[in-house]
Amino acid sequence: MPSNYGGLTKNMAHINDMVLEAMRAKLSHHWQRHRSEPFCVMDLGDVYDEYQRWCGVLPDVKAFYAVKCNPDAQVIKLLARLKSGFDCASQTEMELVLSQGVPPERIIFANPCKKISDLEYAQKSGVRKVTFDNEAELYKIREWLPDAELVLRCRASDASASYRLCDKYGATAALSVKLLQCAKSLGLSVIGVSFHIGSNAKDPSAFDAAIQSCRDVFETGLGMGHDMRLLDIGGGFSAPTFDAMARVIRESINSHFRDIPVEVIAEPGRLFVEGALTVACGIIGRRDAGENTEDEEEERRHMLYLNDGIWGVFSSNLFEPGPLPKVLRLSGVFYPPESEEDRYEDYTLWGPTCDSFDCVAKSVALPESLGIGDWLYFPDMGGESIFDLPHN
């Protein structure tokens, strides 16, 4: 893969064609909706830039984009043209990727617990790389995908990650030995090891610990006669720490796998798409702080009610703080970051449902004069898997 921006003009022309194609397909349908409904804007050029950044910083680690992060068809189409691999977790995701002309060899079915119908689809469609982390899964795979190229998912964790995955998936060191033995006894082929330190990870050293642990599993598998040749370092990449993570990954692979021929892949998700999408929500209601309570000692804030909320585009706010909103006036003027004409007040942002749990943000500073008909827009929303909105 290229590690620089050579051929940028040609690739950007492809991107422009894709944007126009997407708009033609969507405008006639979506713009029949009322103009007050929420919408999002996708910048595919940002996805392209992040992919090229990956190729430049980790040229020896093949990216398999985590489709679950953002299954938008235009994102998949762009990454397919860039020759990315794809991490799929279901039949639906495999169908989406294969529909873009991606060969099954560029897909890893990286769900450690798979439905039988999904295994049947993988068998039929030619997807062979699949993960597992328990004995029951091996028996299921032997029956429904016997020629699978198995990847053993090992336990790994970054305690500072926004979403810890080790409680649900990943085999311990002792269990990994037993699973390799079980696979051998069942006549199944294990080709490698994978791990995932957690979504939106923050501690680069977690990669080094996991890669070092995988080296031990590799040696055990080779000793049993498995054709161990793949190391999948998973996802968890975030823009603020990516350079530090990449440096640790390069050093760790060079240290622990220098003497073993191995193909290294990873499953980046939000790193590729987070900055590419902006969500715009309209203000449909307002209640001033003085109307909220009669208790003078209770902290009071203005309240704004938006036309989307926790049960829609802001579902991830249940687990981690979302991006801070910016302002677009009803007049069409973007609100300046600082202005002498307006002062900032403390607001609570609510979604449109009657559910009191539908709180987008408990406390955020916004201009005091905001009202019905004004808009808030939220950058860096591309990793939220929210694509029921009209978008351009």
Side-chain angles (χ1 to χ4, degrees):
M1 295 302 300
S3 58
N4 53 45
Y5 285 82
L8 175 63
T9 302
K10 180 179 179 181
N11 281 289
M12 288 306 297
H14 284 310
I15 294 171
N16 290 334
D17 291 342
M18 291 167 60
V19 172
L20 290 173
E21 180 182 337
M23 291 179 67
R24 292 190 192 100
K26 294 177 180 295
L27 283 176
S28 61
H29 169 68
H30 286 307
W31 287 97
Q32 293 174 8
R33 303 187 187 194
H34 196 277
R35 64 182 181 179
S36 66
E37 292 190 26
F39 64 93
C40 58
V41 178
M42 174 76 77
D43 180 3
L44 290 174
D46 193 83
V47 179
Y48 174 87
D49 289 344
E50 289 301 324
Y51 183 84
Q52 293 297 334
R53 179 188 176 198
W54 176 281
C55 293
V57 175
L58 286 174
D60 297 323
V61 181
K62 173 74 173 180
F64 276 61
Y65 172 66
V67 177
K68 67 184 73 64
C69 181
N70 181 326
D72 186 85
Q74 299 304 319
V75 171
I76 303 303
K77 182 180 293 187
L78 170 61
L79 291 174
R81 289 184 178 180
L82 294 174
K83 305 303 181 184
S84 172
F86 294 89
D87 155 25
C88 296
S90 66
Q91 176 177 335
T92 300
E93 293 180 6
M94 288 186 284
E95 287 176 336
L96 173 61
V97 172
L98 291 169
S99 72
Q100 300 303 323
V102 176
E105 294 77 21
R106 279 165 51 190
I107 294 175
I108 180 169
F109 188 5
N111 187 339
C113 185
K114 298 164 283 296
K115 295 187 295 184
I116 289 175
S117 59
D118 289 357
L119 286 171
E120 289 180 310
Y121 179 80
Q123 174 70 35
K124 180 178 66 175
S125 61
V127 175
R128 291 295 176 267
K129 286 190 286 289
V130 298
T131 62
F132 74 101
D133 71 353
N134 63 82
E135 188 173 310
E137 196 73 8
L138 285 174
Y139 283 93
K140 192 165 60 179
I141 290 170
R142 183 182 65 169
E143 173 141 6
W144 301 102
L145 190 59
D147 57 344
E149 297 179 333
L150 292 171
V151 179
L152 172 57
R153 170 118 170 213
C154 295
R155 181 182 174 89
S157 180
D158 171 8
S160 64
S162 298
Y163 305 94
R164 283 166 48 89
L165 302 175
C166 61
D167 295 334
K168 187 173 185 179
Y169 297 123
T172 63
L175 179 57
S176 294
V177 174
K178 295 180 180 179
L179 292 175
L180 289 169
Q181 292 171 336
C182 181
K184 195 66 178 177
S185 68
L186 295 175
L188 296 173
S189 174
V190 179
I191 67 163
V193 178
S194 72
F195 63 84
H196 198 303
I197 65 172
S199 181
N200 196 24
K202 301 173 181 65
D203 181 8
S205 68
F207 275 103
D208 181 60
I211 291 170
Q212 182 175 0
S213 178
C214 285
R215 167 61 193 249
D216 296 335
V217 178
F218 246 77
E219 290 187 344
T220 300
L222 289 169
M224 293 182 186
H226 288 293
D227 182 19
M228 307 290 282
R229 60 181 187 273
L230 180 72
L231 173 64
D232 180 355
I233 64 174
F237 305 96
S238 57
T241 59
F242 177 57
D243 288 335
M245 287 178 171
R247 182 172 61 254
V248 170
I249 289 167
R250 291 193 304 267
E251 293 172 353
S252 186
I253 292 172
N254 185 55
S255 173
H256 301 301
F257 282 87
R258 176 181 297 180
D259 57 338
I260 297 181
V262 63
E263 176 188 2
V264 185
I265 69 172
E267 301 166 1
R270 72 163 69 198
L271 179 69
F272 282 1
V273 296
E274 185 171 54
L277 190 138
T278 298
V279 170
C281 294
I283 297 172
I284 61 174
R286 174 183 172 127
R287 196 165 78 184
D288 288 341
E291 302 176 85
N292 292 342
T293 179
E294 295 180 356
D295 187 346
E296 295 298 329
E297 296 184 0
E298 183 178 338
E299 184 179 8
R300 291 183 289 179
R301 302 182 181 90
H302 298 307
M303 295 183 178
L304 294 178
Y305 301 83
L306 308 181
N307 53 8
D308 214 320
I310 289 296
W311 309 122
V313 301
F314 299 101
S315 60
S316 66
N317 287 31
L318 292 168
F319 309 101
E320 60 179 320
L324 294 175
K326 299 183 180 181
V327 178
L328 174 61
R329 291 296 197 185
L330 178 61
S331 63
V333 177
F334 287 93
Y335 196 83
E338 295 181 3
S339 172
E340 297 179 357
E341 299 177 0
D342 206 349
R343 62 192 181 94
Y344 277 68
E345 296 283 351
D346 201 17
Y347 285 87
T348 296
L349 304 182
W350 297 99
T353 69
C354 294
D355 188 346
S356 60
F357 200 60
D358 189 6
C359 182
V360 174
K362 187 68 174 178
S363 176
V364 61
L366 291 168
E368 190 278 334
S369 61
L370 281 178
I372 296 172
D374 288 328
W375 287 74
L376 300 181
Y377 63 100
F378 300 78
D380 301 328
M381 291 286 287
E384 309 303 326
S385 295
I386 41 132
F387 300 96
D388 191 33
L389 293 179
H391 62 288
N392 301 318

